[in-house]
Amino acid sequence: MTLAEAEPKLRKPLFACKSAETILAELDAAIGDEAPKSAAARALVLAHIRQCLAGARKGAEAELLATGKGTRCAQNLSAAQDEIITAVHMFATRRVYPVDNPSGAEAIALSAVGGYGRGTLAPGSDIDLLFILPYKQTPWGEQVTEYILYMLWDLGQKVGHAVRSVDESLRMAKADMTVRTATLEARFLTGDKALFDSLVHRFETEIMPRTGPEFIAAKMAERDERHKQMGNTRYVVEPNIKDGKGGLRDLNTLFWIGKYFYHLKTSQELVGRGVLSASEYRLFSRAEDFLWAVRCHLHFVTGRAEEKLTFDVQPELAQRMGYAERVGMLGVERFMKRYFLVAKDVGDLTRIICASLEFNHAKDLDLVGRVLAPFRQGKSKIKGETDFVLDTGRLNIAAPDVFEKDPVNLIRIFRVAGREQLLFHPDAIKVITRSLRLIDNKLRHDRKANDYFLSILTDPQSVERILRQMNESGVLGRFVPDFGKIVALMQFNMYHHYTVDEHLIRSVGVMADIANGGLRDQLPLTHELLPQLNDTRLLYVALFLHDIAKGRPEDHSVAGMKIARRLCPRFGLSPAETDTVAWLIEHHLLMSEIAQARDIQDPETAKAFADVVQSPQRLALLMILTACDIRAVGPGVWTGWKGSLLRALYYATEPLLSGGHSQWSQSDRIDYAREQLGKALAAWSPEEIATYTARHYDHYWLRAEPELQVEHARMIRNADRAGEGFAGSIRIKSFEGITEVSFYTPDHPRLLSLIAGACTMQDASIIGAQIFSTRDGHAIDTFRLRRAFTSDEDEKVRATRIIDTVKQLLQGKRQILIDLGKESRHNKRLKPFALPAQVSVSNALSEKFTVIEVSGLDRMGLLHSLTHQISDLNLTIGSAHIGTYGEKAVDVFYVTDLTGQKIMSKPRQRKIHDALMDVFHPVPLAKVANG
């Protein structure tokens, strides 16, 4: 029984389905004089059936490409499968194992169950079959069952099957919810129809009555658990089409519940029962059709039952489904935006259907105490509110016309929900969704409506939950049309984990978490700065708007600034406040870019940054906004290391903006770092500590974390005592998800290149590096690697191999291949992406160094190739700042020539530019090069 009804047939269908009788006749012709039971006959039958199946799939795919109708494709594949199974059953019972006078026990019925029972199949779907017997299995029944199953298995199909009598089926359906769901969807295929009818009749009369609440509770719990495993958001950029939130399984769950509770045969009957309106049913059908189209295309493209829309298949699916590039948006981004809008529609339908169940059957559902809410009967007033009431413990409207009477209530209801910490009554959500037409320009510019919205946006207790509900209901996109443009918008890159609207809501949520006292350990500086701010409201507004111009052809920071200048006065901000918010949005990437890609201890870095920021208040606001933004990008993107870089930039810049009256001067911080190291190394003599600290330049004490300084000191002391010129140490940082590997060795012009090569040889992905030189000619380099193993022990083993490899490379015992890392898993995952390479060579960013900034498509071995080329250009690397943003690498090198001077010659700068650009377009070579 299908979820959506079949589309009208094409006049000239590309898909043609052979009937079982036709296939049987062709099988008879194919085997000729061969005995039906013979191995030769079976081989001929298998070959012909395989040919029929391949033809049906080819036709179904051709029709899908021509019409784009996904549900029809799934129905076509199911129909073809029906006829093939029926033909095999007929051949088995009439030709191979015929019975002249069958007894009552020699009967069998085949039924499709699961997704196949709904009359829909994706190309790689499992074929779920139930063989129904009258009593226990007979030798004849066993032979027929085995013949059918082995034929399907030999076709390469994944068959899930059960062989049960009617009594066994009912007994298992009572005890097992999975079996009950499968039986609910059973559809007759072939064999003894009376047997199948008996099972269905007894299931509907003996199992379904009085078990509706139990079934619904189980299905809802199952759905919640599935969502939890998938990340509990429908806005992940590589969604699971089947089991993800807003996917096909959610639509299936709605139909199962409707069928069980309302005894529906088709989804269209949801309209007749008043559960869905006609327009909502059309939404249901369109959502299902789109999701089936995506799933069928996905299976056809990958050649397997792949359910995850990974980056590598998204572009091809977008092309197959006709999504072309538009100004500011790639075709793949348009396709994925459509996917997320459909997933949102599925969420809306879920709420509507569950609302109907909850309140039309509250008495029944209360028996299990589940399905969306505890049921406390009756309505009560909310203090100071005449248009809203408390209904069964939830916020509801007092009368059907509260929004028609005063459209401002469409915003105010969300303010009341946040202020009173209430969940919405499903009826209220339904009326809100159906009243979106009332949100017009007049309401958008209404003073009270905007006051309510600003109160929602700046309330740390409820802002994330309420903004998400406003977005889900469609109110947010209508009230702020610029936000509506980025709803469900994904960026085709590996850096951002969520759609733009979800990222904005999450970033506001991080700010609220900080305001509520959370994240104190992860973001210590933000908690220090928060009390110093004149108005934290500006942060909420800036975070809500900072990426609102994504998906447009112009720079989203500049376009977003213009949008902020238009929207902030509407929200009720003063001209000065509007100026601050617009500035924050225009520069929201600046602090992160400088902290991660510049030498913070170079005086020019802080000076140039201070020239842009201009005030301590803006610096504090930008610091907090940057931290919230990065934390909301996705799991694992914020690290303690990134936090330390941002703090270092803040501390370097703040004195320049406050007239030097900072609590910490640079010399104070150097003295403090040395003092803390001395305390951590209490077992060392004062002379040892003084000798050791004198070996380091000042910038070491400012840039290296205290824990890393201790690690370095112990590593160097052990090496000196052992008389070793080379040493390595390992630090596993589970919280940050990184492994730090440090090296101590006499400085070497190719050292950075060798270490990068050794990391790639051990399949390690570099996400950052800190490079220090000592006054006595040694190098102390610390590389940060993306964690690859769950076990700390496995991480240590890999890190030890890297240290050993570096030592062997320095000794000349090993060499690095030219095509290093080419076949790695990481590089294969990057294949769908294309990024233009860019190289800039600047003398304006530092007094002492020429700064080379390189960006382009990341790959395993890239850092080795870049540093190797820099060595070949006779340049000395003073510091390197390695950044990876998904598929994009941004590497910055502070260099001098071999005499310690900046690169002033224009021809030489051009040579550097061209040589590093060539790294992104390597010529394949088979030779081996020394490291």
Side-chain angles (χ1 to χ4, degrees):
M1 288 154 197
T2 61
L3 293 180
E5 287 56 55
E7 298 283 338
K9 289 186 177 177
L10 293 172
R11 288 177 185 171
K12 293 182 180 178
L14 295 165
F15 171 80
C17 185
K18 288 182 181 178
S19 70
E21 292 289 351
T22 302
I23 296 172
L24 181 63
E26 289 173 349
L27 292 177
D28 287 339
I31 65 170
D33 297 331
E34 298 284 353
K37 273 188 180 180
S38 68
R42 190 184 180 286
L44 291 166
V45 168
L46 179 63
H48 188 75
I49 295 290
R50 181 175 279 122
Q51 192 180 337
C52 291
L53 182 62
R57 288 192 170 187
K58 190 175 178 182
E61 184 177 10
E63 190 167 305
L64 175 65
L65 288 166
T67 67
K69 299 295 182 185
T71 307
R72 181 190 289 159
C73 179
Q75 290 168 344
N76 286 342
L77 290 166
S78 177
Q81 192 70 46
D82 289 357
E83 299 303 327
I84 284 170
I85 290 173
T86 303
V88 174
H89 172 263
M90 289 162 66
F91 189 81
T93 54
R94 296 183 191 178
R95 304 289 188 269
V96 184
Y97 304 109
V99 180
D100 294 330
N101 296 302
S103 65
E106 287 171 323
I108 195 166
L110 263 76
S111 79
V113 292
Y116 184 31
R118 290 188 297 275
T120 48
L121 274 181
S125 291
D126 292 1
I127 312 298
D128 294 323
L129 296 174
L130 174 62
F131 292 79
I132 308 167
L133 309 172
Y135 317 110
K136 61 183 181 180
Q137 181 67 284
T138 64
W140 175 84
E142 199 168 317
Q143 288 175 322
V144 170
T145 302
E146 283 188 3
Y147 189 90
I148 295 168
L149 287 173
Y150 277 103
M151 189 65 71
L152 296 175
W153 285 330
D154 288 349
L155 281 172
Q157 295 194 301
K158 290 175 285 182
V159 183
H161 73 285
V163 184
R164 300 190 193 108
S165 68
V166 173
D167 287 339
E168 284 173 332
S169 296
L170 293 170
R171 189 166 60 250
M172 290 193 71
K174 271 182 188 174
D176 188 317
M177 198 57 70
T178 306
V179 175
R180 193 182 304 182
T181 307
T183 310
L184 177 71
E185 296 187 296
R187 179 172 60 88
F188 179 73
L189 286 177
T190 185
D192 192 321
K193 184 75 162 57
L195 258 182
F196 174 81
D197 290 342
S198 167
L199 172 63
V200 171
H201 175 73
R202 289 184 61 188
F203 180 78
E204 290 179 350
T205 55
E206 296 176 25
I207 306 287
M208 287 176 71
R210 298 180 303 283
T211 59
E214 177 197 359
F215 180 80
I216 293 167
K219 287 292 127 188
M220 287 298 193
E222 196 180 279
R223 185 195 68 165
D224 292 347
E225 180 57 32
R226 190 176 71 248
H227 288 174
K228 188 178 173 185
Q229 289 177 3
M230 291 287 160
N232 215 20
T233 176
R234 63 181 63 94
Y235 301 118
V236 289
V237 293
E238 289 187 302
N240 187 300
I241 184 80
K242 181 182 174 186
D243 292 323
K245 198 170 185 180
L248 275 166
R249 185 72 80 199
D250 280 1
L251 280 181
N252 296 345
T253 301
L254 296 184
F255 185 60
W256 292 332
I257 290 171
K259 189 169 186 195
Y260 210 100
F261 222 103
Y262 297 107
H263 304 288
L264 307 177
K265 298 298 179 189
T266 65
S267 55
Q268 194 166 15
E269 293 173 49
L270 289 166
V271 180
R273 297 300 179 94
V275 180
L276 295 178
S277 66
S279 63
E280 286 160 351
Y281 170 68
R282 285 195 294 275
L283 196 66
F284 188 107
S285 296
R286 283 200 301 270
E288 184 194 26
D289 192 62
F290 177 82
L291 291 172
W292 267 117
V294 174
R295 191 177 182 213
C296 289
H297 277 299
L298 185 57
H299 285 201
F300 280 129
V301 165
T302 59
R304 62 180 185 276
E306 178 60 68
E307 309 297 355
K308 192 175 181 183
L309 281 174
T310 52
F311 286 125
D312 56 329
V313 296
Q314 287 175 14
E316 188 170 351
L317 261 59
Q319 187 180 14
R320 284 171 70 103
M321 295 182 71
Y323 289 88
E325 189 171 339
R326 293 283 185 273
V327 177
M329 282 182 78
L330 299 170
V332 66
E333 291 172 339
R334 292 182 62 233
F335 160 61
M336 290 306 295
K337 178 166 184 170
R338 171 77 179 128
Y339 173 85
F340 291 119
L341 287 171
V342 167
K344 181 180 176 297
D345 289 341
V346 173
D348 294 342
L349 291 164
T350 302
R351 282 191 297 277
I352 291 165
I353 291 177
C354 291
S356 174
L357 287 168
E358 181 175 349
F359 290 93
N360 293 339
H361 302 274
K363 188 179 174 186
D364 294 334
L365 298 181
D366 199 34
L367 297 172
V368 293
R370 175 57 175 87
V371 188
L372 302 181
F375 295 93
R376 300 189 292 279
Q377 296 299 321
K379 296 183 180 181
S380 59
K381 290 182 179 179
I382 299 170
K383 189 178 178 181
E385 298 295 336
T386 54
D387 292 325
F388 309 119
V389 294
L390 206 58
D391 185 348
T392 59
R394 297 194 179 194
L395 180 62
N396 203 353
I397 50 177
D401 64 346
V402 295
F403 300 131
E404 293 278 357
K405 190 177 68 180
D406 185 3
V408 171
N409 281 330
L410 277 164
I411 309 301
R412 190 156 71 92
I413 191 170
F414 288 98
R415 178 63 192 130
V416 173
R419 187 188 70 217
E420 304 292 329
Q421 295 293 302
L422 293 171
L423 297 175
F424 282 94
H425 189 288
D427 281 356
I429 292 175
K430 188 181 279 194
V431 180
I432 289 167
T433 306
R434 293 174 182 177
S435 303
L436 294 177
R437 58 186 167 74
L438 299 173
I439 304 176
D440 54 15
N441 267 332
K442 184 182 175 185
L443 180 64
R444 290 182 196 113
H445 291 90
D446 185 276
R447 182 72 272 133
K448 283 196 294 183
N450 282 286
D451 286 346
Y452 288 133
F453 180 68
L454 190 61
S455 299
I456 290 166
L457 187 55
T458 55
D459 181 353
Q461 297 303 318
S462 60
V463 59
E464 185 173 5
R465 175 175 71 90
I466 298 300
L467 281 183
R468 189 166 280 113
Q469 286 181 320
M470 289 182 80
N471 193 30
E472 293 283 348
S473 66
V475 169
L476 191 53
R478 295 277 295 194
F479 189 66
V480 186
D482 288 296
F483 189 90
K485 290 176 183 175
I486 51 93
V487 168
L489 176 65
M490 67 88 76
Q491 298 156 267
F492 189 62
N493 62 51
M494 288 169 63
Y495 180 60
H496 294 91
H497 294 234
Y498 306 111
T499 55
V500 179
D501 55 328
E502 178 70 6
H503 166 66
L504 291 181
I505 292 170
R506 282 175 181 257
S507 65
V508 173
V510 175
M511 177 62 213
D513 197 359
I514 295 166
N516 292 328
L519 303 173
R520 197 172 288 277
D521 293 337
Q522 297 92 325
L523 304 173
L525 182 55
T526 59
H527 281 278
E528 287 177 35
L529 297 176
L530 217 52
Q532 302 171 21
L533 297 178
N534 298 332
D535 191 355
T536 56
R537 294 182 317 150
L538 304 186
L539 279 168
Y540 291 99
V541 178
L543 284 163
F544 175 66
L545 298 176
H546 76 273
D547 277 347
I548 203 163
K550 283 280 178 79
R552 304 187 188 209
E554 63 264 55
D555 182 319
H556 80 279
S557 300
V558 176
M561 174 265 291
K562 293 174 185 173
I563 292 170
R565 291 198 180 281
R566 176 163 43 82
L567 284 178
C568 289
R570 196 193 111 183
F571 292 161
L573 299 190
S574 69
E577 290 169 336
T578 298
D579 252 9
T580 300
V581 171
W583 182 89
L584 284 169
I585 291 168
E586 184 180 4
H587 298 98
H588 74 271
L589 297 173
L590 182 67
M591 193 167 190
S592 170
E593 287 172 349
I594 290 175
Q596 295 181 66
R598 295 286 178 264
D599 187 343
I600 298 165
Q601 306 317 318
D602 189 312
E604 288 298 309
T605 300
K607 186 172 177 294
F609 183 53
D611 287 345
V612 178
V613 178
Q614 295 184 343
S615 81
Q617 190 76 188
R618 281 187 173 180
L619 178 64
L621 287 167
L622 188 59
M623 172 71 200
I624 298 171
L625 181 136
T626 303
C628 294
D629 184 15
I630 297 174
R631 280 197 74 87
V633 167
V637 176
W638 174 269
T639 62
W641 168 58
K642 284 182 184 173
S644 70
L645 292 176
L646 288 170
R647 286 193 294 275
L649 179 58
Y650 175 86
Y651 287 129
T653 310
E654 197 265 347
L656 302 177
L657 298 173
S658 59
H661 298 296
S662 172
Q663 292 176 314
W664 287 86
S665 70
Q666 186 161 299
S667 60
D668 286 340
R669 284 188 286 126
I670 291 169
D671 291 343
Y672 179 75
R674 287 172 170 162
E675 185 185 321
Q676 291 304 108
L677 180 66
K679 287 179 182 176
L681 304 173
W684 291 28
S685 69
E687 293 77 17
E688 272 186 302
I689 291 172
T691 305
Y692 174 76
T693 55
R695 293 170 76 173
H696 292 288
Y697 292 103
D698 284 353
H699 70 86
Y700 174 81
W701 304 107
L702 296 167
R703 282 179 54 208
E705 296 170 15
E707 299 90 348
L708 191 59
Q709 291 174 12
V710 174
E711 187 76 25
H712 286 168
R714 288 175 177 155
M715 171 180 71
I716 293 169
R717 188 194 201 201
N718 291 339
D720 289 349
R721 283 185 167 181
E724 293 283 346
F726 175 88
S729 73
I730 300 158
R731 201 158 61 121
I732 309 294
K733 302 184 80 171
S734 303
F735 180 74
E736 289 91 350
I738 61 172
T739 296
E740 284 183 348
V741 186
S742 296
F743 303 88
Y744 170 68
T745 182
D747 215 345
H748 182 291
R750 293 196 189 279
L751 181 61
L752 192 58
S753 174
L754 288 169
I755 298 172
C759 290
T760 305
M761 288 164 76
Q762 298 301 332
D763 209 21
S765 178
I766 302 161
I767 57 171
Q770 279 185 304
I771 292 152
F772 302 106
S773 299
T774 62
R775 296 180 194 273
D776 57 358
H778 282 75
I780 306 169
D781 295 351
T782 297
F783 276 63
R784 290 176 175 86
L785 312 176
R786 187 178 284 112
R787 189 177 178 116
F789 302 100
T790 51
S791 156
D792 285 357
E793 206 50 52
D794 289 339
E795 280 293 311
K796 283 180 183 172
V797 168
R798 182 178 69 157
T800 303
R801 285 198 194 116
I802 291 169
I803 292 169
D804 292 343
T805 304
V806 171
K807 189 174 184 180
Q808 290 167 349
L809 289 168
L810 285 167
Q811 293 170 341
K813 293 178 180 178
R814 289 188 73 174
Q815 294 175 319
I816 296 174
L817 292 172
I818 286 288
D819 61 352
L820 182 67
K822 187 179 177 184
E823 297 303 317
S824 71
R825 286 195 307 273
H826 182 65
N827 285 3
K828 286 175 183 172
R829 186 156 160 69
L830 293 168
K831 277 185 180 176
F833 299 98
L835 272 177
Q838 291 181 308
V839 176
S840 70
V841 182
S842 171
N843 283 309
L845 298 172
S846 171
E847 279 187 14
K848 297 178 181 176
F849 295 96
T850 295
V851 179
I852 302 172
E853 181 166 342
V854 181
S855 67
L857 188 63
D858 189 27
R859 67 171 191 264
M860 292 291 279
L862 176 63
L863 184 59
H864 163 72
S865 301
L866 289 170
T867 50
H868 194 280
Q869 190 65 264
I870 288 170
S871 295
D872 284 351
L873 290 162
N874 294 319
L875 300 174
T876 301
I877 297 171
S879 71
H881 309 270
I882 314 305
T884 309
Y885 306 87
E887 76 283 3
K888 185 179 183 180
V890 180
D891 298 340
V892 179
F893 305 95
Y894 281 64
V895 304
T896 62
D897 61 20
L898 296 180
T899 66
Q901 302 301 307
K902 291 167 83 167
I903 315 304
M904 304 305 292
S905 159
K906 290 290 179 188
R908 192 170 181 195
Q909 287 180 15
R910 169 54 58 183
K911 185 181 178 186
I912 292 168
H913 173 277
D914 294 347
L916 294 178
M917 284 292 284
D918 287 345
V919 170
F920 288 93
H921 311 287
V923 178
L925 292 170
K927 66 179 183 180
V928 174
N930 286 326

